[in-house]
């Protein structure tokens, strides 16, 4: 055991079910007593945890089929975190000072069974990179919609945590043209100038399908869709023969105040799917258990070779965590959003 055992911790709780999109007032930071780890347990001081849009779904009324437990009033939020082991119980191989990755974020200290922690190791040069959601993008582009040399790839929601990595991964896998979409001209400029996108459609600047056709005049070979809605409709309207569409998110539904967070209807031309021989598949991590380790190795190599960039916005302190979720929903950040403790 470590010599200094904290007696309390602070954590973010859901105090009431949101009416529509979550607001800061729906969350509160609570002080809770903290005991030392029992046999088989580990106490971790969190350094960073991920802010992700899936929390909105877990707070809503449409959680059927979601592989995470719903959040109800009084529950503590959770999600991917990186932290430092403070103390361990009997029978635990981890040691104080070791960095670990786990799913008990949204709190200063996490007390959890040791088997729910994974050593961070040295595969990634920046520990925060363990909070990347790039595994889904990598899996989609290698398993569901494999990129072929010279392909034109469209990534919806390209300034988000998954999208900004998907565009870079597509290029590294051989894409000849990478097109993205986002909600602001400033983000579009960053995607082109800093992350290698050839063209970016700004949502709301005109009819989306027409703008996408102008950005990809020869059509789309691969689509990585993180949004759904009109953007998926437009992507289907612009596919080439044999195109592959991978669905990895549904932000159009998750971030809509008019929906409950677990549905994202989109109208697509099924006739075009048939005559163009298009495949459409949803990416589920559970179906590809080999992807995370493969992605971590490849991601680490690309980062060290300076071939990929991992942009993230850091929100300081647990007191800012409730507003960080609202800022994410409002699209005020670029790339991954993490809270630093």
């Amino acid at each position: 055991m470590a010599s200094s055992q904290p007696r309390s911790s602070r954590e973010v709780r859901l105090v009431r079910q949101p009416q529509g999109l979550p607001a800061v007032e729906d969350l509160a930071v609570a002080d809770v007593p903290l005991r030392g780890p029992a046999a088989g347990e580990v106490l971790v001081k969190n350094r960073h945890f991920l802010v992700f849009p899936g929390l909105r779904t877990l707070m809503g009324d449409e959680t059927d089929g979601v592989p995470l437990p719903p959040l109800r009033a009084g529950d503590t939020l959770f999600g991917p975190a990186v932290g430092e082991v403070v103390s361990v119980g009997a029978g635990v191989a981890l040691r104080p000072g070791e960095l670990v990755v786990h799913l008990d974020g949204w709190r200063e200290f996490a007390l959890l069974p040791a088997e729910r922690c994974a050593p961070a190791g040295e595969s990634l040069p920046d520990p925060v990179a363990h909070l990347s959601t790039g595994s889904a993008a990598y899996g989609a582009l290698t398993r569901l919609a494999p990129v072929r040399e010279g392909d034109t790839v469209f990534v919806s929601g390209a300034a988000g945590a998954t999208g900004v990595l998907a565009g870079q991964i597509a290029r590294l896998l051989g894409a000849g043209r990478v097109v993205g979409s986002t909600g602001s001209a400033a983000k579009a400029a960053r995607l082109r100038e800093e992350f290698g996108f050839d063209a970016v459609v700004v949502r709301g600047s005109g009819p989306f399908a027409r703008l996408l056709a102008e950005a990809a005049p020869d059509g789309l070979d691969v689509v990585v869709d993180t949004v759904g809605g009109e953007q998926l409709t437009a992507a289907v309207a612009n596919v080439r023969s044999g195109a592959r569409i991978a669905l990895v998110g549904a932000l159009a539904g998750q971030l809509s105040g008019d929906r409950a967070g677990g549905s994202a209807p989109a109208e697509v031309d099924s006739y075009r799917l048939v005559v163009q021989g298009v495949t459409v598949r949803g990416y589920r991590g559970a179906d590809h258990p080999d992807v995370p380790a493969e992605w971590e190795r490849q991601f680490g190599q690309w980062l060290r070779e300076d071939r990929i960039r991992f942009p993230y916005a850091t929100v300081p302190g647990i007191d800012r965590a409730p507003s960080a979720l609202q800022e994410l929903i409002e699209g005020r950040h670029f790339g991954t959003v993490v809270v630093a403790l």
Side-chain angles (χ1 to χ4, degrees), residues 102-180:
H102 59 87
L103 290 176
D104 280 15
W106 293 85
R107 64 205 82 197
E108 292 176 324
F109 290 89
L111 180 65
L112 67 163
E115 62 265 23
R116 284 168 40 193
C117 290
E122 299 181 354
S123 58
L124 301 178
D126 180 356
V128 181
H130 285 283
L131 303 182
S132 152
T133 57
S135 177
Y138 180 81
L141 288 166
T142 57
R143 270 55 170 184
L144 303 192
V147 178
R148 299 166 186 158
E149 195 71 28
D151 275 349
T152 296
V153 178
F154 170 58
V155 180
S156 65
T162 303
V164 70
L165 289 170
Q168 296 177 84
I169 294 167
R171 180 78 75 194
L172 288 164
L173 294 177
R177 183 170 179 80
V178 179
V179 179

Side-chain angles (χ1 to χ4, degrees), residues 81-98:
V82 177
E84 180 180 341
V85 174
V86 174
S87 55
V88 300
V92 175
L94 296 168
R95 294 291 177 262
E98 191 170 357

